[in-house]
Amino acid sequence: MLRLAVLVSGGGTNLQALIDAIGRGTVTNAEISVVISNNKNAYALERARAHGIPALCVSPKEYESRERFNEALLTKLKACRVDLVVLAGFLVVLPEALIHRYADRIINIHPSLIPSFCGTGYYGLKVHEAALSRGVCVTGATVHFVDEGTDTGPILLQRAVPVRPDDTPETLQRRVMEEAEWVILPQAVDLIANGKVSVENGHVRIACEE
Ligand code: GRF
C-alpha cells in the first residue's frame, strides 16, 4: 500500500478527487496517510478530517526561520512514513532537502499544458488569465514529478481542455479542474501505486497493459 502525503494550501478539490477515487476503487494500492497545509484555514483540512484522514497545519509563520520550518515539514513526512508526496495546490516552495530525499517521489498538479503558462508566478487564476490573453484554443492540466525547478520536472500525464470564446478566467479554471485535474491526478497516483511508472534520465516511462 503506497502511503501518500497530500500537501495543500486551499480548497482541496484535487484532494477530494483523490479521496473519492480511492473510495470508489478507481485508485488502488494507495492510502492518504496525512494531509498537510501551510494554511490552518484551508478548507482542504476539513475535507480530510471529514474522511478520518490525519490533517495538520505546518506553517512557516509558526517557525522562527525558514530552516526550522523546512526541518519540521521533513520530520512530519518521515514520521508518517510517506512513500509519495502529492502537491495539490501547495503554494510553498519545497525545501531542497525534501526534494532530494523524495527524488522521483513527489508529484504536482499544474493547471496548464506544461511548458505553457508555468513557472514562477503562474498559479491560481493567473494561469488561466495568461492562457486567455494569449488566445490559445486549448489548455489543460499536467501532472509532473517535482525537481528543483518550478514546474520543470518530468511530465507524467497531461490532459487537454478546449477554451471557449466566452470563457472568463473563472469558467476556464473550473473546466480545467473538472475535465482535467480531477481526472489525471487520481490516474497518476493509481499508476504509481501499481508500479507502472519509472523515471529514467528525466523522462517518465509508463508500463502498458498486456
Ligand atoms: C489547482 O488548480 C491545482 O492545479 C493548482 O492549485 C489548485 C488547487 O486547487 N496547483 P484545489 O485546492 O485542489 O481546489
Side-chain angles (χ1 to χ4, degrees), residues 176-189:
V176 168
M177 284 180 150
E178 285 177 352
E179 296 182 13
E181 296 183 41
W182 303 344
V183 177
I184 63 173
L185 185 62
Q187 260 175 11
V189 171

Side-chain angles (χ1 to χ4, degrees), residues 138-202:
V138 172
T139 183
T142 302
V143 176
H144 63 93
F145 284 97
V146 172
D147 63 11
E148 293 85 350
T150 306
D151 302 327
T152 52
I155 290 171
L156 172 50
L157 291 177
Q158 293 191 298
R159 190 169 168 101
V161 168
V163 178
R164 306 222 186 280
D166 55 351
D167 265 331
T168 63
E170 289 79 8
T171 60
L172 186 56
Q173 179 182 52
R174 184 75 195 175
R175 188 174 318 111
V176 168
M177 284 180 150
E178 285 177 352
E179 296 182 13
E181 296 183 41
W182 303 344
V183 177
I184 63 173
L185 185 62
Q187 260 175 11
V189 171
D190 186 59
L191 286 167
I192 294 169
N194 288 287
K196 304 251 174 71
V197 177
S198 58
V199 183
E200 289 161 28
N201 301 322

